[in-house]
Amino acid sequence: MIKRVIFLICVCMNIEASIKDYEAIYFFESDEIDIEGTRKLKTFDDGSRQLSFPARNFIVSMFFASYFTIEESTVIPENYTVEVKPKFANRSQEINYLREENIVTSKGRDIWSVALASDKKLFDPLSHQIQLRKNIINGLKSFELSIMDIEDGRSKLYEFNIIGNREVKVGENVYDCIVVERQRKASKRKATYLIAPDLNYMFAKVIIFDGDDEITLSLKKILSLGSVSYTHLRAH
């Protein structure tokens, strides 16, 4: 169950054209777990970036983080970390991209090493969200991304397509969002991303259909976006 929840939360997470640093509260809801967390995108002095998502409730605490750089319009993943407590959840893992050796390695619960393809475009569960947003900002209507399975490092190819627009209410504000659908051949799981251009292309909502289950991730409150506080800012 915990592995499935980790995957679904990461699927729901988000970044540069320029993508601004931000901090926001999101609520993840499913039949298995409801949990609130604060996602934060930060930029370091050397230009590298980190997207993190600590979340907790009275049963479990989780921490996800992806370190990456961006070269022109391409996201370059460097490290992905996930930690889940208490220990019965049994998930602690760190994935590293060793680009000089053209391999990706994992240590922790799942130990593996896989070759990195010649184009080196294998995304972890968080960094692919960044590339997704970059592609939308750059005007792409449909594209494919290869995302690793963190259990064994296998690459899975997903198709992304813009299918329309939809309004999403966040607090007292309503935002016109771009609707992006993600699907993989021979899989029943489908994800729909509602991306708000007025919020620097942040995710206003994500809906995941997994068989008969529906999972949602909803933006509840923006704490900061760039240098702007959103405490009293209203959408047009």
Side-chain angles (χ1 to χ4, degrees):
M1 184 271 285
I2 264 306
K3 177 192 171 186
R4 180 172 178 269
V5 170
I6 289 171
F7 175 82
L8 295 172
I9 288 177
C10 289
V11 162
C12 294
M13 296 188 58
N14 43 4
I15 303 182
E16 219 195 343
S18 100
I19 299 295
K20 300 174 183 176
D21 287 355
Y22 74 91
E23 190 170 4
I25 297 172
Y26 283 80
F27 186 71
F28 177 89
E29 186 174 11
S30 72
D31 291 337
E32 296 173 343
I33 188 172
D34 296 343
I35 193 165
E36 184 175 273
T38 301
R39 292 189 292 171
K40 184 176 182 179
L41 174 66
K42 64 185 294 184
T43 303
F44 297 99
D45 291 340
D46 64 359
S48 63
R49 309 189 78 172
Q50 180 201 47
L51 176 63
S52 61
F53 181 46
R56 67 173 57 245
N57 60 19
F58 63 92
I59 296 176
V60 65
S61 66
M62 302 178 175
F63 176 78
F64 308 87
S66 180
Y67 294 85
F68 58 92
T69 58
I70 298 177
E71 297 180 4
E72 296 180 353
S73 293
T74 301
V75 175
I76 310 295
E78 299 294 342
N79 174 276
Y80 170 77
T81 300
V82 55
E83 297 179 1
V84 178
K85 297 179 180 180
K87 290 184 178 180
F88 71 79
N90 193 25
R91 169 61 68 181
S92 179
Q93 187 173 1
E94 181 178 356
I95 296 170
N96 288 289
Y97 289 74
L98 306 179
R99 298 192 177 278
E100 291 185 359
E101 302 174 38
N102 289 321
I103 59 173
V104 183
T105 64
S106 172
K107 61 182 180 180
R109 172 178 167 173
D110 297 313
I111 301 173
W112 47 258
S113 177
V114 298
L116 190 58
S118 58
D119 62 8
K120 300 186 178 183
K121 293 181 180 179
L122 176 63
F123 298 98
D124 63 60
L126 298 188
S127 63
H128 89 273
Q129 300 288 337
I130 301 164
Q131 188 65 62
L132 160 60
R133 292 186 63 203
K134 288 283 293 179
N135 290 353
I136 298 300
I137 290 172
N138 289 336
L140 297 183
K141 305 298 183 183
S142 62
F143 50 90
E144 296 179 333
L145 296 177
S146 294
I147 306 168
M148 73 167 62
D149 184 329
I150 65 172
E151 190 173 73
D152 56 18
R154 288 182 302 164
S155 174
K156 295 182 177 180
L157 187 64
Y158 291 84
E159 298 177 354
F160 295 81
N161 295 282
I162 292 179
I163 61 172
N165 293 79
R166 188 186 310 173
E167 289 186 342
V168 178
K169 187 174 183 180
V170 179
E172 298 179 359
N173 303 322
V174 176
Y175 297 97
D176 185 34
C177 294
I178 299 169
V179 182
V180 179
E181 185 177 87
R182 191 208 73 177
Q183 203 159 20
R184 183 168 66 92
K185 293 180 179 179
S187 175
K188 295 182 179 180
R189 181 181 288 132
K190 180 175 68 175
T192 301
Y193 304 83
L194 289 86
I195 301 173
D198 287 343
L199 297 178
N200 195 227
Y201 292 83
M202 290 178 65
F203 290 0
K205 192 169 187 177
V206 180
I207 307 168
I208 300 171
F209 302 95
D210 189 14
D212 295 329
D213 298 332
E214 180 176 314
I215 303 100
T216 62
L217 184 84
S218 302
L219 173 61
K220 292 301 181 182
K221 184 178 182 180
I222 301 174
L223 303 178
S224 65
L225 179 54
S227 59
V228 179
S229 170
Y230 271 69
T231 305
H232 303 292
L233 189 61
R234 300 294 180 88
H236 297 295

